[in-house]
Amino acid sequence: MTRVFSGMQPSGDAHLGNLLGAWVNWVRMQEDRDCVYCVVDLHAITSPTEHEPERLRERTVELATGMLAVGVDPERSILFVQSHLHEHAECTWLFNCVSGFGELNKMPQFREKSAGKGESVSVGLFDYPVLQAADILLYHTDEVPVGDDQRHHIELARDIGQRFNHRFGEVFTLPKAVHPRAAARVMDLQDPTVKMSKSASSEKGIVYVLDDPKRIEKKFKSAQTDSATDIRHDREEKPGVSNLLEILAATTGRGVDDLAQEYDGQGYGTFKTAVAESVIETLKPIQDRHAQLVDDPGEVARLLAVGADRAREIAAPTLQRAKEAMGLLPPHAA
Ligand code: TYM
């Protein structure tokens, strides 16, 4: 069966970009694929400004709860916390030795996050995509459902796997990214030229998965559009309207052009209300399930322990094969 792997950082509350860019596919792919989903806490300690030890513990549980609320099914899929398996960090070291300084230095996300920080940028932030490659390759992953911003990281994982196989023999499966048709890059509602992100300067442009209906309506009503009145999909000329059209397409399952035709001429007010309503309706069942799950944090911890054991059954033998292929001496049985 096709193997799927994806992860998300516990570095802030989940937002509409995470849901539409990634989680919707995570849930759908469980129908006919073998899925492994991960809370990538080791990635969340790469930036000192975002890393608060006490909050990280809470956020890890909160994010796992969010994944379950969205519909990750622990009966069918594996759900676990990255740091519960030492295999991910260990495999990263092996991959560090087949990765080039130049290729990591070119990663767009690293360039963005390190801009203006000079010498204080952590080695962890630089090495972040190599850890991500280890996450993916340890599970013989075929497909990685992610938003468009992760495209380069998945390509790098593929390159690292290919290079390793070429030098040391066939150990790793080469993955490919899977992006949603609409809303692969959800933009900030206040500044539709930048992606919706946990690190945005204002909360007004971000719709969180757990926002209540009133707040969602307010955020969409004040979403930045333009001074014209026509509704059409044109990311260059009309980034605000195009972003709203994509959000509506992703939450209704309809085509962007079909929706543009229906709403053109009705005015931005009516259009924004329709988008807000569709988002509220999409989030309602998730929020209801979330409310039930938070009442039982012990159950979430138990599911994560089961998930880690199942993940290890796949990751440990892969790592062992990689170490042997590289010529590392296996320990002598005592
Ligand atoms: P992270 O935690 O930033 O985001 C989680 C997922 O949400 C998607 N996403 C978006 N999609 C559309 N529009 C947006 N505005 C938006 N913002 C976020 C991301 O593309 C991602 O799919 N490096 C990864 C986590 C990771 C990972 C992995 C992913 C670590 N190991 C292995 C896949 C496989 C990240 O920082 O995602």
Side-chain angles (χ1 to χ4, degrees):
M1 217 194 310
T2 303
R3 169 69 51 73
V4 168
F5 183 98
S6 200
M8 183 167 154
Q9 294 189 67
S11 55
D13 295 333
H15 54 70
L16 204 57
N18 302 129
L19 178 72
L20 303 180
W23 277 352
V24 166
N25 270 340
W26 291 24
V27 173
R28 192 177 53 76
M29 288 168 119
Q30 296 179 118
E31 298 298 322
D32 55 359
R33 291 166 168 84
D34 187 9
C35 301
V36 184
Y37 296 130
C38 186
V39 179
V40 293
D41 53 350
L42 295 175
H43 279 107
I45 60 175
T46 54
S47 157
T49 49
E50 287 168 27
H51 176 202
E52 302 162 68
E54 273 311 317
R55 270 306 276 146
L56 178 61
R57 263 188 283 275
E58 289 167 5
R59 283 194 187 286
T60 301
V61 177
E62 283 167 16
L63 184 57
T65 309
M67 289 176 179
L68 292 165
V70 156
V72 169
D73 175 0
E75 297 282 320
R76 285 189 289 177
S77 304
I78 297 177
L79 176 64
F80 75 105
V81 175
Q82 188 186 35
S83 67
H84 291 178
L85 268 71
H86 64 76
E87 284 80 359
H88 289 238
E90 197 173 340
C91 187
T92 301
W93 182 256
L94 307 187
F95 286 168
N96 279 338
C97 300
V98 295
S99 301
F101 184 89
E103 65 188 342
L104 294 185
N105 203 28
K106 276 197 302 225
M107 287 290 118
Q109 199 157 307
F110 173 70
R111 301 211 74 91
E112 260 165 49
K113 287 200 173 179
S114 61
K117 298 217 173 97
E119 302 274 301
S120 68
V121 171
S122 77
V123 175
L125 187 67
F126 185 68
D127 207 26
Y128 178 114
V130 181
L131 175 59
Q132 183 163 350
D135 297 341
I136 296 167
L137 295 171
L138 277 172
Y139 295 87
H140 307 294
T141 302
D142 301 294
E143 296 180 346
V144 189
V146 280
D148 186 57
D149 61 330
Q150 295 299 312
R151 191 180 290 274
H152 298 279
H153 288 168
I154 315 305
E155 278 166 17
L156 180 76
R158 201 181 158 84
D159 289 347
I160 291 175
Q162 200 161 30
R163 200 174 304 145
F164 187 103
N165 288 350
H166 185 70
R167 279 182 63 184
F168 304 112
E170 290 293 316
V171 174
F172 296 107
T173 304
L174 305 182
K176 69 164 203 250
V178 176
H179 306 294
R181 242 175 297 141
R185 187 179 281 262
V186 177
M187 309 308 270
D188 188 286
L189 297 188
Q190 288 300 315
D191 179 0
T193 62
V194 300
K195 73 170 184 186
M196 189 177 282
S197 153
K198 295 156 197 163
S199 44
S201 52
S202 154
E203 300 267 297
K204 279 166 58 187
I206 313 171
V207 176
Y208 293 103
V209 171
L210 296 181
D211 272 350
D212 62 51
K214 270 219 166 70
R215 193 167 297 161
I216 296 173
E217 212 180 316
K218 204 162 149 207
K219 286 178 179 174
F220 278 105
K221 280 214 166 117
S222 65
Q224 207 205 78
T225 41
D226 50 54
S227 54
T229 54
D230 56 326
I231 294 178
R232 62 188 164 86
H233 191 262
D234 180 342
R235 277 215 179 253
E236 295 293 310
E237 296 281 316
K238 300 179 77 72
V241 169
S242 302
N243 188 36
L244 296 179
L245 272 171
E246 292 210 17
I247 292 171
L248 189 57
T251 51
T252 55
R254 291 177 56 190
V256 165
D257 294 332
D258 177 31
L259 289 164
Q261 229 171 22
E262 175 176 337
Y263 286 97
D264 195 24
Q266 295 196 34
Y268 287 166
T270 308
F271 174 52
K272 285 177 174 177
T273 304
V275 182
E277 275 171 9
S278 179
V279 169
I280 290 166
E281 212 172 295
T282 303
L283 294 181
K284 170 118 187 24
I286 298 170
Q287 295 181 348
D288 290 348
R289 264 198 305 274
H290 189 272
Q292 289 167 358
L293 284 160
V294 286
D295 278 346
D296 196 357
E299 176 62 3
V300 176
R302 190 190 68 77
L303 291 171
L304 290 173
V306 172
D309 285 344
R310 290 174 58 203
R312 200 172 294 111
E313 281 173 23
I314 309 170
T318 315
L319 177 66
Q320 194 50 41
R321 277 183 61 203
K323 287 168 78 174
E324 282 171 21
M326 287 182 101
L328 298 166
L329 180 70
H332 192 278

